PDB file of all heavy atoms in Angstrom:
ATOM      1  N   ALA A 198      87.069 104.825  85.077  1.00 66.00           N
ATOM      2  CA  ALA A 198      87.795 104.094  84.042  1.00 66.00           C
ATOM      3  C   ALA A 198      87.394 102.618  84.024  1.00 66.00           C
ATOM      4  O   ALA A 198      88.208 101.748  83.791  1.00 66.00           O
ATOM      5  CB  ALA A 198      89.308 104.242  84.287  1.00 66.00           C
ATOM      6  N   GLY A 199      86.126 102.354  84.238  1.00 65.00           N
ATOM      7  CA  GLY A 199      85.633 100.995  84.161  1.00 65.00           C
ATOM      8  C   GLY A 199      85.760 100.217  85.427  1.00 65.00           C
ATOM      9  O   GLY A 199      85.349  99.057  85.489  1.00 65.00           O
ATOM     10  N   TYR A 200      86.371 100.809  86.490  1.00 71.00           N
ATOM     11  CA  TYR A 200      86.547 100.088  87.750  1.00 71.00           C
ATOM     12  C   TYR A 200      85.609 100.684  88.799  1.00 71.00           C
ATOM     13  O   TYR A 200      85.512 101.897  88.959  1.00 71.00           O
ATOM     14  CB  TYR A 200      88.005 100.230  88.229  1.00 71.00           C
ATOM     15  CG  TYR A 200      88.982  99.478  87.381  1.00 71.00           C
ATOM     16  CD1 TYR A 200      89.671 100.100  86.342  1.00 71.00           C
ATOM     17  CD2 TYR A 200      89.224  98.099  87.562  1.00 71.00           C
ATOM     18  CE1 TYR A 200      90.560  99.415  85.551  1.00 71.00           C
ATOM     19  CE2 TYR A 200      90.126  97.404  86.797  1.00 71.00           C
ATOM     20  CZ  TYR A 200      90.789  98.063  85.772  1.00 71.00           C
ATOM     21  OH  TYR A 200      91.672  97.374  84.995  1.00 71.00           O
ATOM     22  N   VAL A 201      84.966  99.799  89.568  1.00 72.00           N
ATOM     23  CA  VAL A 201      84.093 100.230  90.650  1.00 72.00           C
ATOM     24  C   VAL A 201      84.991 100.613  91.846  1.00 72.00           C
ATOM     25  O   VAL A 201      85.856  99.842  92.273  1.00 72.00           O
ATOM     26  CB  VAL A 201      83.169  99.090  91.082  1.00 72.00           C
ATOM     27  CG1 VAL A 201      82.310  99.494  92.284  1.00 72.00           C
ATOM     28  CG2 VAL A 201      82.250  98.696  89.924  1.00 72.00           C
ATOM     29  N   ILE A 202      84.782 101.848  92.378  1.00 78.00           N
ATOM     30  CA  ILE A 202      85.512 102.297  93.547  1.00 78.00           C
ATOM     31  C   ILE A 202      84.828 101.695  94.784  1.00 78.00           C
ATOM     32  O   ILE A 202      83.754 102.126  95.164  1.00 78.00           O
ATOM     33  CB  ILE A 202      85.576 103.829  93.605  1.00 78.00           C
ATOM     34  CG1 ILE A 202      86.125 104.408  92.310  1.00 78.00           C
ATOM     35  CG2 ILE A 202      86.398 104.256  94.799  1.00 78.00           C
ATOM     36  CD1 ILE A 202      87.520 103.911  91.945  1.00 78.00           C
ATOM     37  N   ASP A 203      85.467 100.714  95.383  1.00 86.00           N
ATOM     38  CA  ASP A 203      84.870  99.953  96.464  1.00 86.00           C
ATOM     39  C   ASP A 203      84.905 100.759  97.767  1.00 86.00           C
ATOM     40  O   ASP A 203      85.957 101.299  98.147  1.00 86.00           O
ATOM     41  CB  ASP A 203      85.650  98.661  96.607  1.00 86.00           C
ATOM     42  CG  ASP A 203      84.887  97.610  97.377  1.00 86.00           C
ATOM     43  OD1 ASP A 203      84.492  97.907  98.557  1.00 86.00           O
ATOM     44  OD2 ASP A 203      84.694  96.504  96.856  1.00 86.00           O
ATOM     45  N   ASP A 204      83.787 100.769  98.467  1.00 90.00           N
ATOM     46  CA  ASP A 204      83.754 101.517  99.741  1.00 90.00           C
ATOM     47  C   ASP A 204      84.619 100.860 100.818  1.00 90.00           C
ATOM     48  O   ASP A 204      84.951 101.515 101.825  1.00 90.00           O
ATOM     49  CB  ASP A 204      82.315 101.715 100.232  1.00 90.00           C
ATOM     50  CG  ASP A 204      81.568 100.408 100.469  1.00 90.00           C
ATOM     51  OD1 ASP A 204      82.187  99.346 100.425  1.00 90.00           O
ATOM     52  OD2 ASP A 204      80.333 100.476 100.677  1.00 90.00           O
ATOM     53  N   ASN A 205      84.990  99.605 100.626  1.00 92.00           N
ATOM     54  CA  ASN A 205      85.911  98.995 101.579  1.00 92.00           C
ATOM     55  C   ASN A 205      87.267  99.738 101.607  1.00 92.00           C
ATOM     56  O   ASN A 205      87.937  99.743 102.605  1.00 92.00           O
ATOM     57  CB  ASN A 205      86.172  97.516 101.204  1.00 92.00           C
ATOM     58  CG  ASN A 205      84.998  96.636 101.512  1.00 92.00           C
ATOM     59  OD1 ASN A 205      84.524  96.589 102.623  1.00 92.00           O
ATOM     60  ND2 ASN A 205      84.479  95.994 100.503  1.00 92.00           N
ATOM     61  N   LEU A 206      87.581 100.352 100.484  1.00 93.00           N
ATOM     62  CA  LEU A 206      88.847 101.107 100.394  1.00 93.00           C
ATOM     63  C   LEU A 206      88.706 102.541 100.902  1.00 93.00           C
ATOM     64  O   LEU A 206      89.651 103.117 101.417  1.00 93.00           O
ATOM     65  CB  LEU A 206      89.338 101.099  98.950  1.00 93.00           C
ATOM     66  CG  LEU A 206      90.668 101.788  98.662  1.00 93.00           C
ATOM     67  CD1 LEU A 206      91.805 101.084  99.380  1.00 93.00           C
ATOM     68  CD2 LEU A 206      90.938 101.851  97.162  1.00 93.00           C
ATOM     69  N   THR A 207      87.527 103.125 100.762  1.00 95.00           N
ATOM     70  CA  THR A 207      87.377 104.550 100.960  1.00 95.00           C
ATOM     71  C   THR A 207      86.801 104.971 102.318  1.00 95.00           C
ATOM     72  O   THR A 207      87.015 106.076 102.776  1.00 95.00           O
ATOM     73  CB  THR A 207      86.502 105.154  99.846  1.00 95.00           C
ATOM     74  OG1 THR A 207      85.234 104.471  99.813  1.00 95.00           O
ATOM     75  CG2 THR A 207      87.175 105.034  98.511  1.00 95.00           C
ATOM     76  N   ILE A 208      86.043 104.091 102.966  1.00 96.00           N
ATOM     77  CA  ILE A 208      85.357 104.487 104.197  1.00 96.00           C
ATOM     78  C   ILE A 208      86.330 104.917 105.324  1.00 96.00           C
ATOM     79  O   ILE A 208      86.234 106.030 105.862  1.00 96.00           O
ATOM     80  CB  ILE A 208      84.384 103.389 104.687  1.00 96.00           C
ATOM     81  CG1 ILE A 208      83.173 103.329 103.783  1.00 96.00           C
ATOM     82  CG2 ILE A 208      83.951 103.654 106.138  1.00 96.00           C
ATOM     83  CD1 ILE A 208      82.221 102.194 104.092  1.00 96.00           C
ATOM     84  N   PRO A 209      87.278 104.094 105.716  1.00 97.00           N
ATOM     85  CA  PRO A 209      88.171 104.522 106.831  1.00 97.00           C
ATOM     86  C   PRO A 209      88.960 105.791 106.539  1.00 97.00           C
ATOM     87  O   PRO A 209      88.996 106.702 107.396  1.00 97.00           O
ATOM     88  CB  PRO A 209      89.046 103.306 107.064  1.00 97.00           C
ATOM     89  CG  PRO A 209      88.271 102.151 106.578  1.00 97.00           C
ATOM     90  CD  PRO A 209      87.539 102.691 105.368  1.00 97.00           C
TER      91      PRO A 209
END
Side-chain angles (χ1 to χ4, degrees):
Y200 291 95
V201 176
I202 305 302
D203 198 304
D204 59 10
N205 288 303
L206 183 63
T207 56
I208 288 174

